[in-house]
Amino acid sequence: MNHKLSQKNRFTKAHTQNYRQSFALNRNVSGFNIQKKELIYTIVSDKSDGAFIWDIDGNKYIDLTMGFGSILFGHNYSPICKAIENQLTKSWSVGPISPLAGILAKQITTATNTERAAFFNSGTEAIMVSLRIAKAVTKKKYIVFFKGAYHGTFDPLLTLRRDEQTNIAKESIPGITQSILNESYVFDYGAEDSLDFIKKNKDDIAAVLVEPVQSRNPSLQPIEFLKKIRSITEQNNIALIFDEVITGFRIDVGGCQKLFNIQADIVTYGKVIGGGLPIGIVAGKRKFLDAIDGGFWKYGDQSIPTAKSTFVAGTFCHHPLAMAASLKTLEILTNNNGQLLKDINIRTSNFCHRMNVFFKENFPKLSIVHFGSLFRFVTPGKYKELYNQLLLNGVYIWEGKNCFISAAHSDDVIAKLEDKIKLSCKQLLDNGIIKTRA
Ligand code: PMP
């Protein structure tokens, strides 16, 4: 047990204890085991700036969580703050639609090479709507998705298992009942058997949902597999949905669609594009987005909405503050031909390369995998203690372990980060947590 860490976070722990009776928060029980219970809490923080956060004990950390990947420019980035403040002085009411929503939709479709876009409050909501419109338009009901992906908390996508005979998702999470999973097929990501299955069952499958590069496994980038899926879905009236909630506006303004040169039918976005405020976007081809409002029509003539529409709604969709933050985010991202993202990607890649050289020479069981500015440590067995050691040394990584480099992670911050990682590894050895380097 890491007594020093427990001591360092004593106010965070006292706060957590104080409110546990009232405040139900699963992050405060993540990874619970009786031997480790003194270190089971999530950091409580009310101060952040640039690449740093401070906990309520006053400790400063290099933040590698960065709002679960929603903060790309750094905490409290002043152009985003100003855009929000400016909007606050005008209106932050919902009811009538903000003029910013139409403007943002137009800019998003241009930036992502899609035809239409609709706004929601979270990635989960965007995924839910994308599946609904896929089913409405194709008039089919099954969906295919892949193990290892995370698509948020929509019930038909929450499973840890499948039936090996039928490939149907199996009940494995309390409250997610089998009947909710009965239209969900699950395959290993990149597995050829899924392609045959989709072809065989083309008349029943409405959508294939992929997280093109899974945040939990960023080194797997199966471009050829995705191209095959694109071709099969295109030929068989199946919607190909790219979940770009993490990769969108991070790997490139055009996301994986642009990078891999694959055009999906529907794409979901969230996180980065909200500039730190809650957002979920469904974008894509007219054929599918028209299921939201019946499609294009004009005043002053005989035209009418011709597509059959389904139902979507939400009190806080198109929230003016989120629209303002998002517009400013897009403006910054598209400046200079998207150079900002290119720079962050290169900086992350160089950092990961240097760390992997260090690991290979000193701790060969450890490594880092990355995709653009998302990275993860690979920490077998006892090396999992690295996260607590990093926390002790002032590096904040959340329970899900996805790490993000932002524009605020300057060369100087990254140099400090590298020192802290090296020190943490050495301490694991010195403290006897790992026995040998090899
Ligand atoms: N899709 C992906 C790929 C995600 O990483 C996430 C969230 N981490 C979601 C969907 C769900 O987004 P939200 O948490 O905003 O509901």
Side-chain angles (χ1 to χ4, degrees):
M1 221 273 293
N2 203 322
H3 291 286
K4 280 191 195 155
L5 184 56
S6 188
Q7 183 61 16
K8 171 175 173 157
N9 292 143
R10 61 191 179 281
F11 285 108
T12 277
K13 286 184 67 177
H15 178 93
T16 302
Q17 194 61 70
N18 223 358
Y19 292 99
R20 203 188 314 272
Q21 286 280 17
S22 320
F23 184 24
L25 177 66
N26 54 1
R27 294 180 62 196
N28 275 335
V29 70
S30 171
F32 186 90
N33 94 36
I34 186 84
Q35 277 85 38
K36 285 200 182 150
K37 68 181 275 190
E38 294 305 320
L39 294 178
I40 302 291
Y41 51 86
T42 200
I43 291 294
V44 182
S45 159
D46 60 3
K47 182 177 164 192
S48 56
D49 191 42
F52 303 100
I53 59 153
W54 286 257
D55 66 16
I56 55 169
D57 289 84
N59 301 303
K60 181 180 180 182
Y61 302 85
I62 296 176
D63 187 7
L64 292 181
T65 300
M66 297 310 289
F68 309 114
S70 65
I71 306 286
L72 186 83
F73 307 129
H75 295 289
N76 304 344
Y77 186 58
S78 83
I80 299 287
C81 295
K82 283 195 188 114
I84 297 170
E85 279 161 15
N86 181 37
Q87 191 57 38
L88 265 175
T89 63
K90 287 187 187 160
S91 163
W92 44 293
S93 301
V94 291
I97 205 82
S98 163
L100 301 183
I103 297 168
L104 182 62
K106 188 157 189 197
Q107 293 190 10
I108 293 277
T109 53
T110 306
T112 59
N113 195 20
T114 50
E115 292 174 340
R116 304 190 76 199
F119 300 110
F120 302 93
N121 301 294
S122 66
T124 294
E125 231 183 299
I127 290 288
M128 177 182 78
V129 168
S130 73
L131 292 171
R132 186 176 307 154
I133 62 179
K135 290 181 181 188
V137 172
T138 60
K139 302 192 173 63
K140 297 186 272 183
K141 63 179 186 181
Y142 285 85
I143 55 176
V144 169
F145 68 102
F146 297 94
K147 284 185 200 163
Y150 179 68
H151 297 294
T153 63
F154 185 38
D155 295 39
L157 302 170
L158 286 185
T159 185
L160 303 170
R161 292 188 285 135
R162 69 167 181 181
D163 183 301
E164 293 301 326
Q165 254 77 54
T166 61
N167 302 309
I168 292 278
K170 238 179 158 175
E171 187 174 315
S172 55
I173 297 169
I176 310 292
T177 45
Q178 188 59 48
S179 57
I180 274 171
L181 299 168
N182 278 344
E183 294 171 1
S184 305
Y185 290 122
V186 189
F187 289 91
D188 289 330
Y189 192 35
E192 292 285 321
D193 67 333
S194 62
L195 303 177
D196 297 334
F197 184 90
I198 295 166
K199 275 191 232 160
K200 261 194 215 130
N201 294 278
K202 60 183 182 349
D203 295 334
D204 297 319
I205 296 173
V208 176
L209 170 63
V210 287
E211 188 185 0
V213 177
Q214 300 180 340
S215 65
R216 269 66 177 167
N217 191 7
S219 55
L220 176 61
Q221 296 158 23
I223 302 174
E224 288 316 310
F225 176 77
L226 286 170
K227 289 197 166 149
K228 286 185 197 161
I229 295 243
R230 175 62 290 187
S231 138
I232 294 167
T233 49
E234 198 155 37
Q235 286 160 23
N236 293 296
N237 184 34
I238 298 170
L240 174 60
I241 306 172
F242 267 20
D243 179 351
E244 299 229 46
V245 167
I246 287 190
T247 53
F249 303 96
R250 175 173 286 278
I251 189 70
D252 187 284
V253 172
C256 286
Q257 285 204 108
K258 167 100 181 293
L259 194 72
F260 298 164
N261 193 21
I262 301 172
Q263 201 72 34
D265 297 305
I266 308 172
V267 198
T268 57
Y269 300 106
K271 299 204 191 247
V272 162
I273 193 59
L277 293 193
I279 201 164
I281 301 179
V282 180
K285 297 192 174 147
R286 288 187 193 290
K287 174 179 167 189
F288 290 97
L289 272 288
D290 287 357
I292 288 178
D293 63 357
F296 186 73
W297 55 277
K298 284 201 291 195
Y299 301 112
D301 63 15
Q302 298 302 309
S303 59
I304 55 166
T306 49
K308 196 167 164 53
S309 42
T310 175
F311 182 73
V312 304
T315 300
F316 294 113
C317 300
H318 336 96
H319 195 286
L321 296 180
M323 298 292 99
S326 187
L327 270 170
K328 184 49 83 178
T329 299
L330 194 55
E331 181 193 317
I332 300 166
L333 286 178
T334 48
N335 269 346
N336 260 337
N337 238 338
Q339 192 58 38
L340 182 127
L341 286 182
K342 291 185 187 115
D343 290 346
I344 303 176
N345 289 344
I346 290 170
R347 210 173 319 136
T348 311
S349 174
N350 291 340
F351 154 73
C352 292
H353 176 72
R354 285 192 300 272
M355 285 320 309
N356 278 331
V357 169
F358 168 80
F359 289 145
K360 203 166 173 195
E361 280 172 8
N362 297 281
F363 299 91
K365 287 194 177 142
L366 276 176
S367 62
I368 288 191
V369 285
H370 83 105
F371 179 59
S373 51
L374 155 79
F375 73 90
R376 285 180 74 93
F377 291 96
V378 179
T379 51
K382 291 272 182 202
Y383 281 92
K384 295 207 172 20
E385 286 302 315
L386 178 66
Y387 300 105
N388 278 339
Q389 210 61 35
L390 284 169
L391 199 60
L392 183 65
N393 288 317
V395 178
Y396 173 57
I397 298 173
W398 68 291
E399 299 79 11
K401 315 288 194 250
N402 282 344
C403 298
F404 298 94
I405 294 293
S406 78
H409 291 75
S410 60
D411 288 339
D412 182 44
V413 174
I414 288 187
K416 289 201 176 80
L417 173 64
E418 289 180 22
D419 287 346
K420 285 173 187 290
I421 296 169
K422 289 177 186 170
L423 173 68
S424 302
C425 290
K426 187 174 169 301
Q427 288 170 338
L428 286 184
L429 194 63
D430 293 349
N431 298 345
I433 292 167
I434 53 169
K435 302 287 174 235
T436 60
R437 288 173 183 269

